[in-house]
Amino acid sequence: MAEIAVLGFGTVGSGVVELIDRNQEQILKGVPEGIHVKYILDLRDFPDSPYADRVVHDFDIILADPEISVICETMGGREPAFSFSRKALEKGISVCTSNKELVAAHGPELIETARAHRCSYLFEASVGGGIPVLRPISEALIQEDITSIIGILNGTTNYIMDKMEKEDMTFEDALSLAQQKGYAERNPEADVEGHDACRKIAILSSLMTGKTVRYEDIPCEGISRITKADFGYARNMRMAIKLLGMSRRNADGSLSVRTAPFLVPEDHPLHSVTGVFNAVFVHGNCVDDLMFYGRGAGKFPTASAVAADVVECCRCRGSHVEVRWSDETLALADPSEESRQFFVRVGAASADAARAAFGDAAQTVQSDSPAEDEYAFVTGELTEKEILDRIGRLQDVRACIRLLDLGK
Ligand code: HSE
C-alpha cells in the first residue's frame, strides 16, 4: 500500500479520504498496491467519523513516519500550509493540493523544492475544481503555441450572475442565496471582488508561459458593481455577463492578463456555462479552440482532482513529475493599451455629453426591462486608456462593462 496523509479534514479533505475508499478498485488500475490514508491532520477531533482513529493533531508525527510518500494539503490559506508543504517536500514527500492561494503565491518555489528532493508538487484541484485542465495544458498541449486562455473560474460569482440574469434578482439577494446554498463564504470578498478568479488565471497564465505571472500584477475587478439594470440590457443584446479571467498573447508577443466582468455573446461557448459550473476556453495555434468544462467547486469534484494527483505521485515515486513554471517574473503588457468595445450606461442628463464624447461609433441599446431614465450604448473599439478618459468627462456614469470579442 502507498501510505498517504491528508492535511485538513474539511470539505475537500474529507472528500479525498472518502473517494480513496470508495474508488479503491479504480485506483488499483494506476497504483496496483493501492493507496491508504494513514493520517488525517486537523485541529479538531471527529469522534463520529469512521476515520476518527486516523486523526492526529501534530504534523511532526506525519513527517517522522517513513511510510508516508504523499501528502494532500487541503487546509487552504498561506500558513501553516506553506511551512508544512515545504517541510514535506524537503523530506522527499510529494504534496498534492487544492490551495490556489498558496500555489499562486509560492508555486515555483515549491515546485523547485520538489525537483531538488526528487518528489512532486501538483495542484490540479487549485483551478477549475474537478476539471482536469492544468495537466492537459502542461502535457497534452505541450506541442501547442497557446495564444489565449479565457476562463469562468469562480463558481460562486457565476451562480450569482446566473440568478440575476434568469430570475431578475438583485446582487444582494443572489449573494444571500449563494450563501444559503453553501457556495459563497460568509465573507464573500475573495469571490465577488474577483481575487479567487485572479489567482486562478495567474496560475493558468504561468503554466501557459512557463514563467511567473504574479496575481498582484493583474488588473482585477469583481462583480459587486453589476446591477439588475445591466442584465436588462445584456438580455436584449443576447449576451450574458460573466466574470472572466483572461490571458491573451498580443501580436508583439507580450501577454495581457485581466480579471473582470465581461458581456459574452450567445454564440461564444462560455455563454452557456451557467450556475456553479466553470469552464476554461483555450486557443492553441494548431489545435484551435478547446473548452474544458465541469464543476469548479464542491467536495467530490475537487477531491477527484486531488486524488488524480495522488495517483500520479504514487506512480512516479522516487522521481519528480515535471511542472514547467519558473520563478522568473513575466512583465505583462500595459493594460491601458488593451482595446475592445464597452457597454456604457449614463443618466439621461449626461446623454448629450456622452454622444459628443463617443461620436457616431456608439450604438444605442435598449433594456428588456422598464426603461430607466438613462442612455445606454455600446462604444466602438477603444483602448482602456481612451474609455477611462471619456467616461471621466461624464457625470452619472452608471455602468461600464467590457465586451468579449469573438475574433481574438
Ligand atoms: N470559492 C470558489 C468558487 C471555490 O466559488 O469557485 C473553488 O475554488
Side-chain angles (χ1 to χ4, degrees), residues 98 100 125-129 153-158 183-185 190-191 196 200 276 278 296-298 302:
S98 54
K100 62 251 171 185
S126 65
V127 176
L153 301 169
N154 184 270
T156 303
T157 46
N158 207 48
Y183 301 142
E185 309 283 340
D191 290 324
D196 177 79
K200 291 168 178 169
V276 290
N278 281 194
T302 312

Side-chain angles (χ1 to χ4, degrees), residues 61-312:
I61 295 172
I62 298 169
L63 213 53
D65 186 334
E67 286 189 339
I68 296 297
S69 54
V70 181
I71 277 174
C72 302
E73 185 272 291
T74 52
M75 311 172 79
R78 298 274 182 103
E79 282 295 354
F82 175 61
S83 305
F84 288 177
S85 299
R86 194 176 51 191
K87 282 182 185 169
L89 295 169
E90 284 168 352
K91 287 207 76 173
I93 299 171
S94 292
V95 176
C96 305
T97 188
S98 54
N99 186 342
K100 62 251 171 185
E101 191 181 339
L102 185 60
V103 174
H106 291 289
E109 181 183 342
L110 293 169
I111 291 165
E112 189 46 47
T113 307
R115 188 179 292 118
H117 294 87
R118 297 178 65 78
C119 57
S120 305
Y121 185 65
L122 299 181
F123 41 88
E124 183 62 70
S126 65
V127 176
I131 309 172
V133 62
L134 301 189
R135 201 146 345 126
I137 286 174
S138 298
E139 293 181 10
L141 298 177
I142 190 167
Q143 73 291 352
E144 283 291 320
D145 178 18
I146 297 177
T147 54
S148 77
I149 298 180
I150 308 173
I152 293 175
L153 301 169
N154 184 270
T156 303
T157 46
N158 207 48
Y159 175 85
I160 290 171
M161 291 205 284
D162 207 27
K163 288 283 165 194
M164 291 174 77
E165 180 192 332
K166 307 243 170 60
E167 297 177 30
D168 208 24
M169 282 188 172
T170 61
F171 171 77
E172 290 74 19
D173 288 347
L175 171 59
S176 158
L177 188 62
Q179 283 170 322
Q180 281 165 38
K181 296 246 177 205
Y183 301 142
E185 309 283 340
R186 202 174 294 269
N187 177 357
E189 190 185 333
D191 290 324
V192 301
E193 297 307 337
H195 307 309
D196 177 79
C198 189
R199 290 190 173 107
K200 291 168 178 169
I201 195 65
I203 295 170
L204 285 164
S205 305
S206 299
L207 293 177
M208 172 182 170
T209 60
K211 296 184 179 168
T212 292
V213 173
R214 287 162 29 96
Y215 67 86
E216 299 96 325
D217 295 342
I218 301 174
C220 176
E221 214 176 283
I223 63 161
S224 54
R225 280 184 292 177
I226 304 289
T227 66
K228 266 172 68 156
D230 296 319
F231 282 98
Y233 293 96
R235 283 190 297 264
N236 223 20
M237 290 190 281
R238 306 176 81 85
M239 295 192 189
I241 307 174
K242 305 283 186 193
L243 180 67
L244 300 181
M246 181 181 292
S247 192
R248 277 176 166 168
R249 176 89 47 76
N250 300 310
D252 65 0
S254 63
L255 196 71
S256 293
V257 190
R258 181 177 292 278
T259 304
F262 277 79
L263 280 151
V264 179
E266 71 176 356
D267 42 4
H268 194 285
L270 289 170
H271 183 278
S272 59
V273 179
T274 56
V276 290
F277 278 85
N278 281 194
V280 183
F281 188 77
V282 178
H283 185 85
N285 67 329
C286 290
V287 73
D288 207 66
D289 291 338
L290 296 167
M291 189 156 93
F292 300 87
Y293 170 85
R295 290 193 182 274
K299 177 172 175 167
F300 285 111
T302 312
S304 177
V306 177
D309 281 347
V310 173
V311 168
E312 185 67 0

Side-chain angles (χ1 to χ4, degrees), residues 1-3 24 27-36 69 314-315 317:
M1 280 278 187
E3 298 288 354
Q24 190 66 221
I27 285 168
L28 290 174
K29 291 184 267 176
V31 185
E33 72 271 36
I35 296 176
H36 174 250
S69 54
C314 290
R315 280 155 57 117
R317 257 179 297 175

